[in-house]
C-alpha cells in the first residue's frame, strides 16, 4: 500500500538529539529533504529560498522544540493544510493560517471538537420509513480492522435482512481516521468495480481504490472481511456530508461520487482532500504530509472539497425533528 489515509501516533524512542545542536539540524535537514521529494505541493515553492529562510529561523536551535517555528513555516509555505508533525506523541507543527475559506464561514470549533473526540456522535444504524437503511459512519482509530469493519458490516447485514432497499450513508460527523474498516464495512453498498483512488504528481505517487468480490482494496491491501450477506438489488443511495466531514471521511464520500442512483445532500466538506504519508524522522519527529489528491471513479480530482447536489443545513442532532438533511434525503429516496 503506497499511502496511509489516517493519522498515526506512535511511541517514539527517546530523542538522542534533544540537546545536541548538530543532531537538531540533522533532524531538520531530514524533514526538509523528505518534504522536497514527497510533498504534493513541492513544485509550488522555491526550495533554495525556503531553505535559506528555514536556516535563519533555526540557526540558534539547540532543542527539538526550537524547530517548531521553522516546521510551521515549512507547512505554511507548502500550503499543506493536511500536514502534521508530531514530537513525543504530541502534535508539534501544522499548517494554520487563521483564516477560514469561503465555504468554511459557518465552521464552529465546538462542533468540530465534539466530532473529533468521538464522544458525542457515535456509529449508528437503523431502518427508517419505507425500508430505508440509515448508516452513520464516524471516524475510526487505528486498531483491529477486522473487528471495526465487522461491526459496520454486521449492522448493514441486519438492515438488509430487515428489508432495507435504499440507503442513507451519513458522513456528516466523520472527522477522519482509519479509512479501511469504513470502506470494507460498507463494501456491499459501495458495489464492485473501480471506485476511485488518489492522484499524485507522478504515477508512482498515485493509488487505486476498488471493490472486488465485495472487498475494498487500497492498491493491493484489503481487510477481506468474511461476507455474511448480499445486497439483493442496486439501491438508491443518499450520501450526507457536512463542513465537519474531513480527511478519510471525505475519501469515503469520494468513493460514492459517480455511482449510479446516488445523490449528495448537506454541505461542502472541510477540505482535507489529500492522502498523506507517514515518516518517522530520526526516531524524534513523526511527519505526515500530503502526497496526492482524492480522485473519484470517473477520474475527477478533488483538490478543494467534496460538493453536494442539494445544500442543506447542518444538524447538531442527527435524526431529530430538526434534521432537515435526512428529511430531504428520505423524500428523494421515496421518489420513483
Amino acid at each position: 500500500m503506497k499511502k496511509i489515509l489516517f493519522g498515526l501516533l506512535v511511541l517514539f524512542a527517546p530523542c538522542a538529539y534533544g540537546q545536541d545542536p548538530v543532531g537538531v539540524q540533522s533532524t531538520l535537514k531530514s524533514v526538509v529533504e523528505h518534504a522536497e521529494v514527497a510533498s504534493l505541493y513541492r513544485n509550488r515553492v522555491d526550495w533554495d529560498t525556503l531553505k535559506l529562510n528555514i536556516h535563519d529561523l533555526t540557526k540558534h536551535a539547540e532543542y527539538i522544540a526550537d524547530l517548531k517555528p521553522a516546521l510551521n513555516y515549512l507547512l505554511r509555505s507548502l500550503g499543506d493544510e493536511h500536514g502534521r508533525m508530531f514530537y513525543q506523541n504530541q502534535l508539534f507543527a501544522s499548517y494554520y493560517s487563521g483564516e477560514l475559506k469561503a465555504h468554511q464561514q459557518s465552521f464552529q470549533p465546538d462542533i468540530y471538537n465534539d466530532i473529533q473526540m468521538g464522544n458525542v456522535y457515535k456509529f449508528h444504524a437503523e431502518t427508517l420509513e419505507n425500508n430505508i437503511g440509515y448508516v452513520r459512519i464516524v471516524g475510526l482509530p487505528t486498531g483491529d480492522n477486522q473487528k471495526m469493519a465487522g461491526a459496520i458490516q454486521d449492522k448493514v447485514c441486519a438492515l438488509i435482512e430487515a428489508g432495507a432497499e435504499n440507503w442513507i450513508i451519513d458522513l456528516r460527523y466523520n472527522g477522519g481516521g482509519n479509512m479501511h474498516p469504513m470502506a470494507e464495512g460498507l463494501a456491499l453498498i459501495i458495489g464492485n468495480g473501480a471506485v476511485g483512488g488518489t492522484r499524485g504528481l507522478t504515477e508512482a505517487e498515485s493509488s487505486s481504490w476498488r471493490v472486488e468480490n465485495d472487498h475494498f482494496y487500497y492498491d493491493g491491501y484489503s481487510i477481506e472481511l468474511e461476507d455474511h450477506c448480499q445486497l439483493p438489488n442496486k439501491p438508491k443511495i443518499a450520501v450526507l456530508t457536512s463542513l465537519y466531514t474531513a480527511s478519510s471521511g471525505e475519501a469515503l464520500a469520494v468513493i460514492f461520487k459517480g455511482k449510479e442512483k446516488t445523490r449528495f445532500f448537506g454541505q461542502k466538506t472541510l477540505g482535507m482532500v489529500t492522502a498523506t504519508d507517514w515518516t518517522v524522522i530520526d526516531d524524534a519527529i513523526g511527519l505526515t504530509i500530503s502526497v496526492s489528491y482524492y480522485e473519484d471513479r470517473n477520474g475527477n480530482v478533488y483538490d478543494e472539497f467534496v460538493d453536494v447536489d442539494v445544500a442543506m443545513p447542518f444538524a447538531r442532532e442527527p435524526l431529530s425533528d430538526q434534521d432537515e438533511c435526512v428529511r430531504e434525503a428520505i423524500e428523494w429516496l421515496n421518489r420513483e
Side-chain angles (χ1 to χ4, degrees), residues 14-316:
C15 178
Y17 305 136
Q19 301 182 36
D20 175 2
V22 175
V24 166
Q25 290 299 329
S26 176
T27 296
L28 177 64
K29 182 173 182 289
S30 295
V31 170
V32 174
E33 287 177 347
H34 177 68
E36 187 174 8
V37 299
S39 172
L40 175 63
Y41 311 113
R42 61 185 180 265
N43 293 339
R44 293 182 177 181
V45 300
D46 179 334
W47 283 96
D48 289 337
T49 300
L50 182 64
K51 290 175 184 178
L52 284 174
N53 292 338
I54 287 175
H55 172 73
D56 288 342
L57 288 170
T58 60
K59 57 188 176 183
H60 301 302
E62 296 184 2
Y63 303 91
I64 291 294
D66 297 332
L67 300 180
K68 185 172 182 176
L71 297 180
N72 283 327
Y73 172 74
L74 171 62
L75 292 174
R76 286 197 302 272
S77 297
L78 290 169
D80 192 346
E81 299 178 43
H82 209 172
R84 302 287 187 273
M85 298 184 194
F86 300 89
Y87 174 56
Q88 293 183 343
N89 301 311
Q90 299 295 322
L91 179 63
F92 184 63
S94 65
Y95 170 100
Y96 179 65
S97 67
E99 298 179 1
L100 295 175
K101 296 180 179 178
H103 80 284
Q104 298 172 336
Q105 294 304 307
S106 64
F107 182 88
Q108 297 184 50
D110 61 324
I111 295 175
Y112 182 74
N113 290 336
D114 283 343
I115 290 172
Q116 290 294 319
M117 292 298 292
N119 296 324
V120 176
Y121 302 103
K122 304 289 187 179
F123 166 64
H124 178 73
E126 66 173 89
T127 302
L128 304 180
E129 61 184 76
N130 295 334
N131 292 326
I132 294 172
Y134 170 89
V135 184
R136 182 191 311 138
I137 302 293
V138 297
L140 292 175
T142 58
D144 189 334
N145 282 347
Q146 285 272 339
K147 182 178 179 180
M148 290 185 288
I152 296 172
Q153 188 193 80
D154 286 348
K155 290 293 187 180
V156 168
C157 286
L159 295 182
I160 291 173
E161 292 165 4
E165 297 175 354
N166 297 312
W167 297 86
I168 294 176
I169 306 300
D170 193 348
L171 306 178
R172 292 175 295 175
Y173 313 92
N174 190 319
N178 187 346
M179 173 188 182
H180 301 290
M182 302 178 199
E184 179 72 8
L186 291 177
L188 291 168
I189 299 174
I190 295 168
N192 289 307
V195 298
T198 71
R199 178 84 63 84
L201 295 183
T202 66
E203 185 65 26
E205 295 169 295
S206 303
S207 298
S208 66
W209 304 332
R210 66 192 190 282
V211 176
E212 292 182 5
N213 299 318
D214 299 324
H215 298 305
F216 173 74
Y217 285 83
Y218 190 121
D219 285 340
Y221 173 77
S222 176
I223 299 171
E224 294 189 334
L225 187 70
E226 182 179 354
D227 295 326
H228 297 296
C229 66
Q230 292 294 320
L231 203 63
N233 57 10
K234 291 186 178 181
K236 292 175 73 175
I237 302 170
V239 179
L240 314 186
T241 62
S242 77
L243 179 56
Y244 308 101
T245 306
S247 190
S248 55
E250 292 172 282
L252 197 58
V254 168
I255 284 175
F256 283 97
K257 279 290 186 179
K259 181 174 173 59
E260 61 180 335
K261 300 167 68 175
T262 299
R263 195 164 176 81
F264 280 67
F265 299 80
Q267 299 172 305
K268 296 178 175 68
T269 61
L270 183 61
M272 291 184 177
V273 283
T274 57
T276 58
D277 69 359
W278 175 255
T279 304
V280 175
I281 305 294
D282 293 340
D283 294 327
I285 287 181
L287 168 65
T288 178
I289 59 172
S290 296
V291 292
S292 55
Y293 288 119
Y294 300 152
E295 180 180 36
D296 70 23
R297 65 187 67 201
N298 294 323
N300 299 309
V301 174
Y302 295 78
D303 57 5
E304 291 186 281
F305 46 72
V306 183
D307 208 346
V308 295
D309 301 302
V310 181
M312 299 298 298
F314 178 77
R316 276 184 177 262

